Amino acid sequence: MKRIWKSLYGRISLLYLGLSFALCLACAWVTVCHFRTFMGAVNQRLDRQLAADLVPRIEAAASSGSYDRAVKQVGATIEELRPAVQLYVLDGSGRVRASSVEDAYMQRQRIDVAPVKAFVGGATAPVRAQDPASTTDRKVFSAAPIQGPDGQQDYLYVILNGCSADAIASTFKQTYVWRTFASSLLLALGFTTVVGLALFWLLTRRFRSLTEVVQRFKEGDYDERADARRDDEIGQLGQAFNEMADTIAAQVEALRRTDEERRRLVAQVSHDFRTPLTAIRGHAERLLN
């Protein structure tokens, strides 16, 4: 690992793989989240008029009996065809006045009514609001004004994906969604890894070639020059090396000529001094004898 990290190709590749994994993970997660938003928007648009269509039936049932009983009666009929649907009647403050859900399953008696009013006012789907039978995330719904038995204007609040839908969604999330998430992540990561490593190898090939040129120049081959035909960063680096190599080669040649001249000077001086010294030595030997 240290050897790989020391090379430019290794560092770029490892950083690229890390960034690719993070990016693929983020893209896959965003895709799953947007798919959830897309499905919520589709469900809400398809059933936008559901609450308005149920209002006359609940008002008719409530005119001759209890408000809560009317909601449970209509809710039971609807749930036979669509088990995930839950009916609630909310007052202007968000308090639950009636519900098709059994009291044992109720988690809250008041919700934030602002999204409901926004939906009734024509807000663009998806609009999500709290589920009185759940304490988790917000859900898509349908809503419409309803006139209560006491003359008060309330809201018929229809949860489109209730508790039963949550159980089914949880099952699919653990199987289909996460399997799709994992396969998409592996496919994207595998593709980007192969393509990225190949591209990085091609990009760093010129660096490796330049490194070999520098190595041969260091070993004494002063005629070695880099390929600087491309006018990019690597080409500019090669051109700078070539100019430096020319300067060094010229200096080495100048030193070689200087050394030759020194040797020639020493030889000439030695030759010029050798003759008189030999004569002096001969006279000195005769005087000593």
Side-chain angles (χ1 to χ4, degrees):
M1 181 61 70
K2 290 183 178 180
R3 183 177 180 181
I4 296 176
W5 184 253
K6 286 182 179 179
S7 66
L8 178 63
Y9 176 75
R11 288 197 297 270
I12 293 177
S13 300
L14 291 177
L15 290 174
Y16 172 78
L17 291 177
L19 291 175
S20 298
F21 179 78
L23 181 61
C24 292
L25 189 66
C27 290
W29 179 255
V30 169
T31 301
V32 171
C33 292
H34 276 267
F35 178 76
R36 176 176 176 271
T37 302
F38 167 76
M39 292 303 299
V42 170
N43 290 338
Q44 195 168 54
R45 283 178 177 266
L46 289 175
D47 292 326
R48 189 176 187 91
Q49 295 298 318
L50 179 60
D53 295 338
L54 293 178
V55 165
R57 299 177 62 179
I58 293 179
E59 289 180 340
S63 62
S64 60
S66 169
Y67 206 174
D68 189 65
R69 181 178 179 183
V71 173
K72 281 186 167 51
Q73 180 181 348
V74 175
T77 303
I78 297 299
E79 288 178 6
E80 289 180 359
L81 300 175
R82 300 185 58 178
V85 172
Q86 299 170 182
L87 306 183
Y88 302 92
V89 174
L90 310 175
D91 64 13
S93 64
R95 183 177 62 87
V96 179
R97 298 193 62 191
S99 171
S100 66
V101 179
E102 297 296 332
D103 293 340
Y105 296 103
M106 294 291 290
Q107 300 295 324
R108 65 183 89 193
Q109 295 299 324
R110 186 184 299 272
I111 67 169
D112 180 13
V113 77
V116 179
K117 293 181 179 180
F119 178 87
V120 174
T124 304
V127 182
R128 299 180 183 273
Q130 295 171 326
D131 182 3
S134 174
T135 58
T136 57
D137 57 348
R138 296 175 175 245
K139 300 178 180 179
V140 293
F141 61 91
S142 176
I146 185 173
Q147 192 73 24
D150 52 2
Q152 178 181 342
Q153 179 177 307
D154 300 318
Y155 295 97
L156 177 60
Y157 179 55
V158 182
I159 294 292
L160 302 178
N161 298 316
C163 299
S164 58
D166 288 341
I168 296 174
S170 177
T171 301
F172 273 97
K173 183 182 292 186
Q174 296 176 2
T175 55
Y176 177 77
V177 174
W178 291 114
R179 186 166 57 233
T180 303
F181 176 83
S183 59
S184 301
L185 177 63
L186 292 176
L187 179 62
L189 186 61
F191 177 77
T192 55
T193 298
V194 173
V195 174
L197 293 181
L199 290 176
F200 288 144
W201 186 86
L202 292 175
L203 290 174
T204 57
R205 180 178 58 182
R206 295 173 61 198
F207 275 116
R208 292 193 297 272
S209 177
L210 181 59
T211 302
E212 293 174 357
V213 170
V214 174
Q215 184 67 30
R216 288 194 293 268
F217 186 86
K218 185 187 75 170
E219 293 173 354
D221 187 359
Y222 299 116
D223 294 330
E224 193 69 33
R225 295 295 183 270
D227 183 4
R229 289 175 294 179
R230 297 184 184 178
D231 189 18
D232 54 9
E233 288 80 359
I234 302 177
Q236 293 172 4
L237 179 61
Q239 181 64 34
F241 169 78
N242 291 341
E243 293 175 358
M244 181 191 68
D246 291 339
T247 302
I248 294 175
Q251 292 175 348
V252 170
E253 182 63 24
L255 289 174
R256 184 181 294 112
R257 288 197 299 269
T258 301
D259 186 65
E260 290 179 356
E261 292 176 357
R262 180 188 63 81
R263 291 183 180 182
R264 190 161 48 249
L265 177 63
V266 171
Q268 290 176 355
V269 171
S270 299
H271 180 269
D272 292 340
F273 277 102
R274 186 177 295 115
T275 301
L277 287 176
T278 302
I280 293 172
R281 183 178 179 181
H283 287 298
E285 289 178 351
R286 280 197 297 271
L287 291 174
L288 289 175
N289 294 329

